[in-house]
Amino acid sequence: MGFYNTSKLANAIFGWELHRRLSAAASPLHSILAHPGYTATNLQTSATTPIWRLLLGRIGNPLLAQPVDRGAWPQLFAATDPAARPGQLIAPGGLGELRGHPAQGKLSAAATDPDHGRRLWELSEQATGVQFSALRPSS
């Protein structure tokens, strides 16, 4: 779960940093973040340990998870609805952003920290060998 949570935070940091860089470059492109909430997928039933499979798949899915088609709603909203704004997080609007209709979510301070964004961007460029000179901050 720790690695999963870290990867989700990295996604948010990268999406926010992309938004920041696109805005600074006056680009017509936008970065809008979205997450599906707690959605009943095979992720919970293929967890790494039997106790996690029991807790997440057998108990969590029936009690807390929303169906897969509803888990896609925030992504569809972010991609198609004119009300979605650049830099915004679209998430399920229910308790804890677990389920519900698309609504504006809350990004953590870590996700919007410019130092985290810059470092992750630089690491991503190094790891992939791809650089976007048009999105480089001016010195």
Side-chain angles (χ1 to χ4, degrees):
M1 287 304 293
F3 292 122
Y4 176 82
N5 292 338
T6 299
S7 74
K8 298 295 118 187
L9 175 58
N11 287 341
I13 291 170
F14 195 90
W16 179 258
E17 180 66 8
L18 178 59
H19 161 67
R20 192 180 70 73
R21 288 172 182 253
L22 289 168
S23 297
S27 173
L29 302 176
H30 301 294
S31 175
I32 302 171
L33 295 88
H35 81 76
Y38 188 9
T39 303
T41 66
N42 67 347
L43 184 62
Q44 295 88 356
T45 56
S46 58
T48 56
T49 65
I51 190 71
W52 279 117
R53 286 193 294 274
L54 172 69
L55 291 173
L56 297 175
R58 300 280 185 180
I59 297 171
N61 275 359
L63 294 176
L64 300 172
Q66 61 186 353
V68 172
D69 61 334
R70 289 192 185 167
W73 286 357
Q75 288 81 356
L76 292 171
F77 181 93
T80 62
D81 197 300
R85 297 286 170 239
Q88 186 178 42
L89 170 64
I90 306 299
L95 182 65
E97 298 180 0
L98 294 176
R99 57 189 300 156
H101 291 278
Q104 183 168 350
K106 179 158 175 40
L107 286 164
S108 70
T112 60
D113 181 298
D115 290 330
H116 292 341
R118 187 184 68 258
R119 286 195 310 264
L120 181 58
W121 191 273
E122 289 168 359
L123 286 169
S124 298
E125 285 184 333
Q126 290 169 7
T128 63
V130 176
Q131 294 187 349
F132 292 96
S133 56
L135 297 182
R136 287 220 171 286
S138 53
S139 313

mmCIF file of all heavy atoms in Angstrom, residues 79-96:
data_model
loop_
_atom_site.group_PDB
_atom_site.id
_atom_site.type_symbol
_atom_site.label_atom_id
_atom_site.label_comp_id
_atom_site.label_asym_id
_atom_site.label_seq_id
_atom_site.Cartn_x
_atom_site.Cartn_y
_atom_site.Cartn_z
ATOM 1 N N ALA A 79 -12.005 15.162 -19.015
ATOM 2 C CA ALA A 79 -11.632 15.182 -20.429
ATOM 3 C C ALA A 79 -12.653 15.893 -21.319
ATOM 4 O O ALA A 79 -12.282 16.371 -22.391
ATOM 5 C CB ALA A 79 -11.445 13.746 -20.938
ATOM 6 N N THR A 80 -13.906 15.992 -20.867
ATOM 7 C CA THR A 80 -14.934 16.467 -21.799
ATOM 8 C C THR A 80 -15.772 17.638 -21.310
ATOM 9 O O THR A 80 -16.358 18.335 -22.128
ATOM 10 C CB THR A 80 -15.912 15.319 -22.151
ATOM 11 O OG1 THR A 80 -16.583 14.894 -20.961
ATOM 12 C CG2 THR A 80 -15.182 14.148 -22.788
ATOM 13 N N ASP A 81 -15.861 17.870 -20.029
ATOM 14 C CA ASP A 81 -16.773 18.900 -19.534
ATOM 15 C C ASP A 81 -16.088 20.263 -19.498
ATOM 16 O O ASP A 81 -15.015 20.400 -18.906
ATOM 17 C CB ASP A 81 -17.271 18.539 -18.136
ATOM 18 C CG ASP A 81 -18.502 19.337 -17.756
ATOM 19 O OD1 ASP A 81 -18.415 20.576 -17.719
ATOM 20 O OD2 ASP A 81 -19.547 18.723 -17.500
ATOM 21 N N PRO A 82 -16.694 21.271 -20.104
ATOM 22 C CA PRO A 82 -16.097 22.610 -20.085
ATOM 23 C C PRO A 82 -15.961 23.190 -18.672
ATOM 24 O O PRO A 82 -15.180 24.124 -18.472
ATOM 25 C CB PRO A 82 -17.069 23.457 -20.917
ATOM 26 C CG PRO A 82 -17.907 22.495 -21.680
ATOM 27 C CD PRO A 82 -17.909 21.211 -20.910
ATOM 28 N N ALA A 83 -16.674 22.645 -17.705
ATOM 29 C CA ALA A 83 -16.566 23.137 -16.329
ATOM 30 C C ALA A 83 -15.265 22.694 -15.656
ATOM 31 O O ALA A 83 -14.876 23.263 -14.633
ATOM 32 C CB ALA A 83 -17.766 22.662 -15.502
ATOM 33 N N ALA A 84 -14.593 21.701 -16.220
ATOM 34 C CA ALA A 84 -13.306 21.255 -15.656
ATOM 35 C C ALA A 84 -12.258 22.320 -15.956
ATOM 36 O O ALA A 84 -12.128 22.768 -17.089
ATOM 37 C CB ALA A 84 -12.908 19.916 -16.253
ATOM 38 N N ARG A 85 -11.525 22.716 -14.932
ATOM 39 C CA ARG A 85 -10.557 23.805 -15.056
ATOM 40 C C ARG A 85 -9.116 23.306 -14.972
ATOM 41 O O ARG A 85 -8.826 22.352 -14.245
ATOM 42 C CB ARG A 85 -10.785 24.829 -13.950
ATOM 43 C CG ARG A 85 -12.139 25.495 -14.015
ATOM 44 C CD ARG A 85 -12.172 26.494 -15.165
ATOM 45 N NE ARG A 85 -13.515 26.971 -15.407
ATOM 46 C CZ ARG A 85 -14.156 26.831 -16.551
ATOM 47 N NH1 ARG A 85 -13.589 26.239 -17.560
ATOM 48 N NH2 ARG A 85 -15.369 27.291 -16.705
ATOM 49 N N PRO A 86 -8.205 23.958 -15.686
ATOM 50 C CA PRO A 86 -6.784 23.577 -15.627
ATOM 51 C C PRO A 86 -6.258 23.570 -14.198
ATOM 52 O O PRO A 86 -6.575 24.459 -13.408
ATOM 53 C CB PRO A 86 -6.091 24.668 -16.454
ATOM 54 C CG PRO A 86 -7.152 25.195 -17.362
ATOM 55 C CD PRO A 86 -8.433 25.088 -16.586
ATOM 56 N N GLY A 87 -5.489 22.526 -13.875
ATOM 57 C CA GLY A 87 -4.896 22.402 -12.549
ATOM 58 C C GLY A 87 -5.834 21.836 -11.506
ATOM 59 O O GLY A 87 -5.427 21.539 -10.391
ATOM 60 N N GLN A 88 -7.074 21.663 -11.866
ATOM 61 C CA GLN A 88 -8.082 21.168 -10.933
ATOM 62 C C GLN A 88 -7.976 19.646 -10.795
ATOM 63 O O GLN A 88 -7.560 18.955 -11.729
ATOM 64 C CB GLN A 88 -9.461 21.541 -11.486
ATOM 65 C CG GLN A 88 -10.639 21.258 -10.616
ATOM 66 C CD GLN A 88 -11.946 21.735 -11.279
ATOM 67 O OE1 GLN A 88 -12.147 21.555 -12.471
ATOM 68 N NE2 GLN A 88 -12.804 22.341 -10.491
ATOM 69 N N LEU A 89 -8.352 19.144 -9.630
ATOM 70 C CA LEU A 89 -8.490 17.702 -9.411
ATOM 71 C C LEU A 89 -9.972 17.375 -9.458
ATOM 72 O O LEU A 89 -10.764 17.977 -8.719
ATOM 73 C CB LEU A 89 -7.912 17.282 -8.060
ATOM 74 C CG LEU A 89 -8.215 15.851 -7.616
ATOM 75 C CD1 LEU A 89 -7.572 14.836 -8.557
ATOM 76 C CD2 LEU A 89 -7.765 15.621 -6.189
ATOM 77 N N ILE A 90 -10.349 16.445 -10.315
ATOM 78 C CA ILE A 90 -11.724 15.963 -10.384
ATOM 79 C C ILE A 90 -11.748 14.599 -9.695
ATOM 80 O O ILE A 90 -10.958 13.713 -10.025
ATOM 81 C CB ILE A 90 -12.222 15.824 -11.835
ATOM 82 C CG1 ILE A 90 -12.030 17.130 -12.615
ATOM 83 C CG2 ILE A 90 -13.673 15.363 -11.862
ATOM 84 C CD1 ILE A 90 -12.790 18.314 -12.062
ATOM 85 N N ALA A 91 -12.647 14.456 -8.736
ATOM 86 C CA ALA A 91 -12.716 13.240 -7.925
ATOM 87 C C ALA A 91 -14.171 12.932 -7.610
ATOM 88 O O ALA A 91 -15.035 13.793 -7.782
ATOM 89 C CB ALA A 91 -11.938 13.459 -6.626
ATOM 90 N N PRO A 92 -14.454 11.725 -7.134
ATOM 91 C CA PRO A 92 -15.811 11.473 -6.664
ATOM 92 C C PRO A 92 -16.154 12.449 -5.539
ATOM 93 O O PRO A 92 -15.335 12.725 -4.668
ATOM 94 C CB PRO A 92 -15.753 10.029 -6.155
ATOM 95 C CG PRO A 92 -14.610 9.420 -6.903
ATOM 96 C CD PRO A 92 -13.619 10.535 -7.048
ATOM 97 N N GLY A 93 -17.380 12.960 -5.568
ATOM 98 C CA GLY A 93 -17.779 13.996 -4.615
ATOM 99 C C GLY A 93 -18.258 13.500 -3.271
ATOM 100 O O GLY A 93 -18.590 14.311 -2.410
ATOM 101 N N GLY A 94 -18.279 12.193 -3.055
ATOM 102 C CA GLY A 94 -18.753 11.667 -1.784
ATOM 103 C C GLY A 94 -17.703 11.707 -0.683
ATOM 104 O O GLY A 94 -16.580 12.178 -0.882
ATOM 105 N N LEU A 95 -18.057 11.191 0.457
ATOM 106 C CA LEU A 95 -17.200 11.162 1.639
ATOM 107 C C LEU A 95 -15.821 10.593 1.315
ATOM 108 O O LEU A 95 -15.707 9.501 0.761
ATOM 109 C CB LEU A 95 -17.863 10.322 2.740
ATOM 110 C CG LEU A 95 -17.111 10.221 4.059
ATOM 111 C CD1 LEU A 95 -17.014 11.581 4.735
ATOM 112 C CD2 LEU A 95 -17.809 9.229 4.980
ATOM 113 N N GLY A 96 -14.790 11.341 1.630
ATOM 114 C CA GLY A 96 -13.417 10.890 1.411
ATOM 115 C C GLY A 96 -13.029 10.705 -0.049
ATOM 116 O O GLY A 96 -12.038 10.045 -0.333
#
